[in-house]
Amino acid sequence: ARTIFFNMAIYQKGLESKQSTLARFVDIGTELFAISATCSYASDNKASIELADLFCQESRARIEGKFRELGSNQDKLKRKIAKKVLAGEYLWLENDIMGV
């Protein structure tokens, strides 16, 4: 959570233009919420604790992956390609797919 707020402070208003980064932060926050809800729901029952532990381990792995994606991703290339798509540079592909 600290890392998310730190990055939000760095990007500030520019974060709204970084949709992929923002989506990763939302995914991380959702995972953190799911972890806390799972842990609070697990009872003193050994089976429920085992299930909660498994869920939390897998959730932590997904969170780590999202943090890795923050530093290493293809966002710039995706943005470049998206601009070309909007400019009509990939109409040949649309025409081939649609059979036009």
Side-chain angles (χ1 to χ4, degrees):
R2 252 184 312 207
T3 304
I4 291 172
F5 290 119
F6 175 74
N7 281 287
M8 289 172 70
I10 290 172
Y11 288 114
Q12 294 179 358
K13 291 181 183 178
L15 186 58
E16 66 189 27
S17 67
K18 295 187 173 283
Q19 298 272 327
S20 297
T21 300
L22 185 57
R24 289 182 189 102
F25 286 146
V26 169
D27 289 345
I28 291 167
T30 301
E31 290 289 345
L32 292 172
F33 174 78
I35 287 173
S36 64
T38 300
C39 290
S40 68
Y41 189 75
S43 65
D44 292 334
N45 175 323
K46 183 179 178 183
S48 68
I49 292 172
E50 284 178 336
L51 289 173
D53 184 49
L54 173 61
F55 174 80
C56 291
Q57 287 181 35
E58 291 183 345
S59 188
R60 282 192 297 267
R62 288 188 293 270
I63 290 170
E64 289 169 5
K66 291 296 177 184
F67 274 119
R68 276 192 304 276
E69 289 176 20
L70 284 169
S72 177
N73 56 59
Q74 293 77 37
D75 291 351
K76 288 182 182 178
L77 178 59
K78 289 177 187 176
R79 193 171 18 261
K80 180 181 171 182
I81 298 293
K83 286 180 182 180
K84 288 183 176 185
V85 168
L86 292 173
E89 293 186 35
Y90 288 92
L91 288 177
W92 58 269
L93 181 59
E94 292 178 35
N95 293 335
D96 287 349
I97 292 173
M98 300 300 289
V100 179

